[in-house]
Amino acid sequence: MQAVFTCEGFEQTIPVCHGTGRSQPDAGKGRIYGLVGNNGGGKTTLMRLIVGLGYPDSGKMTLLGESTPKGLREARRRVGAFIETPIYNGSVSGRANLEILCTLYGVKDRDMPRKMLEPVGLSDRGRQPVRHYSLGQRLGLAGAFAIQSELLVLDEPLNGLDPAGTKEVRELLLRLRQEQGATMLISSHNLAQLNLLATDYIILHRGRVVEEITGEELARQCRGYLSLRLEPGQGRAAYRALKDKWDALGMEQVEDEIRLRNYEGSHQALYGVLTKANVEVESLEPVGLSLEEYFIRLTR
């Protein structure tokens, strides 16, 4: 799926899946895309545009291979969604709310509301009025499962859950991916939890995509490295000295810092080589990045 649009300053091509419709193999099928960004960065705007709760001022949007108004309406019938705070009729039961949703989706299986409640742990509460539910998160997720979606769009699905509930929902999403091959776009402020789910990341900042990265590449970027901070202007000399001695250290020069990703020797040996090359070292320390730290560095 690609969404290409301009809306209130948000202008970007979003390759949420890398296929173009049902008749062609979809390289993005079964991937879980973590959508990361500050408040106001465009995450919910993007999701609302995908599911039809908002419309672009200009540009073109292609969803599951469809781009015409009629085609987009049909494509959205294959998209399950949970956007912002789910709103239900609090005076009737959770099951009754899901029956209404199934009617809107055109689901003919009368047992579907019960099936939707099972994976989110609400089977024993399905006949209780929704106003007695502590949070609507679980029911909102159940609503997203009204159909066997090709794409699930989930906005903060872990928000407000206790640790046990967070674990249950996380395992549910992973099971859906494994059993149904569902592609998911998930936003979350809990980056530690998102890191346990996502196979890929789309990082938004001020309405634009600033990074698209696979989980594997992110792991490589965040992997611990040895940081050598040098006196101003000595980065290039240090790089040459170390390259002459060790050619496969995975070195990267960032101004007056040398980052070594594959070095397993002693710090003293490094220091000795640099001293011999007349390079002054300010500090030498191991560094590793969390997803949160990576995002902060990138957006700065």
Side-chain angles (χ1 to χ4, degrees):
M1 182 197 77
Q2 282 195 332
V4 188
F5 50 83
T6 304
C7 183
E8 295 181 359
F10 195 112
E11 182 177 354
Q12 190 63 48
T13 300
I14 312 291
V16 179
C17 311
H18 304 291
T20 54
R22 280 184 281 187
S23 62
Q24 299 182 18
D26 193 341
K29 185 177 175 64
R31 309 290 287 181
I32 298 179
Y33 292 83
L35 191 60
V36 181
N38 288 324
N39 288 336
K43 302 187 301 298
T44 299
T45 297
L46 169 60
M47 291 182 157
R48 288 173 64 85
L49 288 167
I50 289 172
V51 301
L53 293 175
Y55 295 92
D57 300 322
S58 62
K60 180 181 178 182
M61 179 172 178
T62 302
L63 177 64
L64 300 177
E66 304 289 351
S67 58
T68 66
K70 181 180 178 181
L72 286 171
R73 285 196 298 272
E74 291 300 316
R76 287 178 177 126
R77 290 182 176 274
R78 292 139 54 196
V79 177
F82 173 110
I83 305 294
E84 298 180 298
T85 304
I87 298 174
Y88 290 95
N89 185 338
S91 62
V92 300
S93 69
R95 182 160 180 165
N97 274 280
L98 294 179
E99 287 171 354
I100 295 169
L101 191 60
C102 285
T103 299
L104 293 173
Y105 268 110
V107 177
K108 300 186 183 303
D109 184 354
R110 293 188 176 184
D111 199 35
M112 182 57 74
R114 181 190 63 80
K115 296 176 182 177
M116 293 158 67
L117 290 167
E118 284 181 359
V120 296
L122 289 176
S123 295
D124 58 340
R125 303 186 63 191
R127 297 195 179 278
Q128 293 181 5
V130 170
R131 65 173 177 271
H132 296 315
Y133 291 12
S134 57
L135 281 170
Q137 301 296 102
R138 290 176 186 269
L139 192 61
L141 281 171
F145 306 148
I147 55 173
Q148 280 207 326
S149 308
E150 293 180 43
L151 174 67
L152 277 171
V153 178
L154 306 175
D155 189 15
E156 297 285 351
L158 305 176
N159 187 37
L161 297 176
D162 58 31
T166 298
K167 183 174 183 291
E168 288 174 11
V169 170
R170 188 177 68 236
E171 290 176 350
L172 165 65
L173 296 175
L174 291 172
R175 191 165 66 249
L176 280 172
R177 179 202 173 204
Q178 183 177 12
E179 294 175 358
Q180 298 183 14
T183 299
M184 303 181 199
L185 178 65
I186 301 176
S187 74
S188 179
H189 284 106
N190 189 335
L191 300 188
Q193 288 295 330
L194 191 61
N195 213 14
L196 298 175
L197 281 168
T199 61
D200 302 80
Y201 296 89
I202 298 171
I203 300 177
L204 297 178
H205 187 56
R206 295 179 180 174
R208 295 182 181 276
V209 173
V210 294
E211 180 86 285
E212 300 164 27
I213 189 168
T214 65
E216 293 85 353
E217 179 59 26
L218 179 66
R220 284 193 290 271
Q221 293 289 339
C222 293
R223 184 176 59 190
Y225 61 86
L226 195 62
S227 171
L228 284 160
R229 292 196 174 273
L230 314 161
E231 290 290 334
Q234 296 203 313
R236 189 171 298 178
Y239 188 93
R240 285 198 301 267
L242 293 174
K243 188 173 178 61
D244 288 342
K245 180 71 175 178
W246 295 288
D247 198 33
L249 292 180
M251 284 193 295
E252 178 186 10
Q253 181 189 344
V254 183
E255 297 181 349
D256 292 312
E257 179 190 18
I258 301 293
R259 298 174 181 177
L260 307 175
R261 298 190 180 276
N262 302 322
Y263 182 72
E264 298 178 355
S266 70
H267 294 181
Q268 288 80 5
L270 278 175
Y271 190 79
V273 170
L274 293 173
T275 300
K276 188 176 290 187
N278 296 316
V279 173
E280 294 291 329
V281 180
E282 282 190 350
S283 66
L284 188 159
E285 61 181 346
V287 176
L289 291 177
S290 66
L291 174 57
E292 183 178 48
E293 290 167 331
Y294 182 86
F295 169 73
I296 291 171
R297 285 194 178 192
L298 183 66
T299 54
R300 279 179 180 169

